[in-house]
Amino acid sequence: MLIDGKKTSDEIKAEIAATVDEMVRQGQKRPHLAAILVGHDGGSETYVANKVKACEQCGFTSTLIRYEDSVTEDELLEAIDRMNHDTDVDGFIVQLPLPKHISEQRIIEAIDYRKDVDGFHPVNVGRMMIGLPCFLPATPAGILELLKRHGIETRGAECVVLGRSNIVGKPVAALMMQKAVPGDATVTVCHSATRNLKDICRSADIIIAALGSPEFVKADMVKPGAVVIDVGTTRVPDPTRKKGFRLCGDVDFAAVEPICSWITPVPGGVGPMTIVSLMKNTLLAARHDIYPA
Ligand code: GUN
């Protein structure tokens, strides 16, 4: 069956909007998310535009701050310092990737962890690892929310994560193994040096594919009845499309869909849930739910 991330994310946005309405009725300010976008990468432009649109749907204030690719690291650090001290901004993100002359790690560590709604600051990463309240990274949080809202049992499940990025693979593996619901799974992380990857995948009750390799997961890698979560969003050229490309997942959907119990489509699966998780974090930041003011 199809896991409809678009529909689930619409439901959650409506829940958030209702909460914001109530906050405003009680005289509180609207949650405010700011985004810093550097350059004109097509994917980043789309993601940030979708984040701004989601803010509107949730009743948040949003601010978009743009820089050209030529921006210096110091200029960016100054912008972050301004956001850290702007009392109206509850949370902010710096859209990744950044140009090569800028250290992403320096930028991430300059963000006040109490406003780090991406959950990328080492304080939030560390707190997540030991099960303390924190801002969870958006894509892993969105995946867990999809599993929860579709009643998918993770306790004791064999979960195979493909990919070990700081943004998806590592954190989703940590969350799936934590003693919680969803969680409590037996997690295996596979990567470019993994031997007998096919056999490992075939043993999985849940496969989370986050390696950025179009249609990598084939039917012979999936156990019948498995749950397949596709995090891939590679742009592949497609002259039949208006934009000249289409989004391609890490799973060969046509071949895998008939044999699994649940599967996320691309687009319309994990992507919309990532955005909604960022909205959730912004609401938590505005209410000082994680880090009391
Ligand atoms: N680039 C890809 N995913 C993300 C994300 O979740 N947040 C930010 N800031 N950049 C990204």
Side-chain angles (χ1 to χ4, degrees):
M1 275 192 292
L2 205 64
I3 297 180
D4 190 340
K6 172 75 174 63
K7 178 164 166 275
T8 308
S9 70
D10 284 344
E11 288 164 7
I12 299 172
K13 277 187 278 193
E15 292 165 16
I16 295 173
T19 306
V20 172
D21 276 351
E22 185 55 32
M23 285 167 68
V24 172
R25 240 198 313 274
Q26 291 178 2
Q28 290 170 258
K29 79 171 194 66
R30 292 183 181 278
H32 183 175
L33 174 69
I36 298 176
L37 174 60
V38 179
H40 300 275
D41 172 76
S44 293
E45 292 265 7
T46 306
Y47 292 138
V48 170
N50 287 337
K51 288 170 187 178
V52 169
K53 187 171 148 210
C55 282
E56 285 163 21
Q57 293 168 330
C58 292
F60 294 0
T61 308
S62 66
T63 303
L64 173 56
I65 300 145
R66 304 193 65 129
Y67 289 94
E68 291 301 322
D69 274 316
S70 55
V71 70
T72 65
E73 192 173 281
D74 282 345
E75 282 172 313
L76 221 43
L77 289 170
E78 279 166 30
I80 288 168
D81 194 53
R82 281 195 294 278
M83 293 290 113
N84 284 343
H85 291 99
D86 186 333
T87 51
D88 198 70
V89 171
D90 299 298
F92 68 101
I93 64 154
V94 180
Q95 187 65 31
L96 305 178
L98 292 171
K100 296 228 176 334
H101 65 278
I102 294 170
S103 158
E104 287 189 351
Q105 204 53 36
R106 262 194 92 188
I107 295 300
I108 288 169
E109 292 191 37
I111 298 171
D112 185 332
Y113 67 88
R114 294 164 298 186
K115 293 191 178 191
D116 169 40
V117 284
D118 257 336
F120 293 167
H121 189 284
V123 168
N124 284 308
V125 177
R127 290 176 66 95
M128 176 194 68
M129 285 305 296
I130 56 178
L132 292 177
C134 63
F135 294 117
L136 294 177
T139 302
I143 292 169
L144 265 72
E145 192 66 29
L146 277 181
L147 295 172
K148 188 165 139 189
R149 291 196 181 224
H150 288 78
I152 293 164
E153 180 66 81
T154 59
R155 182 156 194 264
E158 298 279 342
C159 175
V160 169
V161 176
L162 301 178
R164 54 178 158 184
S165 71
N166 290 340
I167 292 182
V168 185
K170 272 183 220 165
V172 84
L175 292 174
M176 287 299 285
M177 76 170 163
Q178 73 179 342
K179 198 164 181 63
V181 179
D184 236 357
T186 303
V187 180
T188 306
V189 181
C190 297
H191 47 74
S192 51
T194 299
R195 280 179 274 139
N196 58 4
L197 185 137
K198 190 185 282 189
D199 289 340
I200 295 171
C201 285
R202 278 195 69 86
S203 73
D205 302 307
I206 302 170
I207 295 178
I208 301 174
L211 24 58
S213 179
E215 299 187 343
F216 180 89
V217 177
K218 305 289 184 195
D220 65 355
M221 296 161 73
V222 178
K223 177 167 78 177
V227 175
V228 178
I229 305 293
D230 190 348
V231 188
T233 53
T234 309
R235 289 181 166 196
V236 299
D238 183 345
T240 70
R241 301 289 175 101
K242 210 167 45 201
K243 290 182 174 161
F245 67 86
R246 64 188 163 87
L247 282 188
C248 190
D250 288 348
V251 178
D252 183 348
F253 185 90
V256 170
E257 190 268 336
I259 54 174
C260 53
S261 60
W262 291 98
I263 187 166
T264 61
V266 175
V270 173
M273 291 301 293
T274 296
I275 308 250
V276 98
S277 300
L278 176 66
M279 300 300 122
K280 263 194 178 170
N281 278 349
T282 305
L283 180 62
L284 291 171
R287 298 200 308 198
H288 304 286
D289 283 345
I290 310 256
Y291 301 113

